[in-house]
Amino acid sequence: MSKVYDDPKYNAAFERCVDVMARLLQKYGPQLLGQMQETEKDGRTQSAASGKQPVPVYQEFDKAA
């Protein structure tokens, strides 16, 4: 086990979080990759999971304004 945080309580919580994320990726990763590849192959721009238009994570703002 590696040490990420100095506080053992935080380090243990981080390790649990990483374990949960890894299990979720192992369980749902192949299904999501298949959906993403199908979406790219079909040329659709809608989200494969929800059928809604994807929402950008960030927006670029005009720096001059």
Side-chain angles (χ1 to χ4, degrees):
M1 191 184 311
S2 64
K3 180 179 174 186
V4 178
Y5 294 100
D6 290 330
D7 187 345
K9 187 179 3 177
Y10 291 149
N11 207 39
F14 178 77
E15 291 290 329
R16 285 192 306 268
C17 178
V18 169
D19 288 340
V20 168
M21 295 294 288
R23 280 189 238 126
L24 287 171
L25 284 170
Q26 289 174 340
K27 184 174 182 179
Y28 296 110
Q31 178 185 1
L32 290 174
L33 282 175
Q35 287 178 351
M36 289 171 53
Q37 289 171 349
E38 181 182 318
T39 301
E40 288 176 2
K41 182 175 61 175
D42 293 344
R44 293 181 287 181
T45 58
Q46 292 185 344
S47 171
S50 66
K52 296 180 182 178
Q53 290 291 335
V55 177
V57 176
Y58 67 93
Q59 291 179 331
E60 288 193 32
F61 295 98
D62 185 10
K63 294 179 176 101

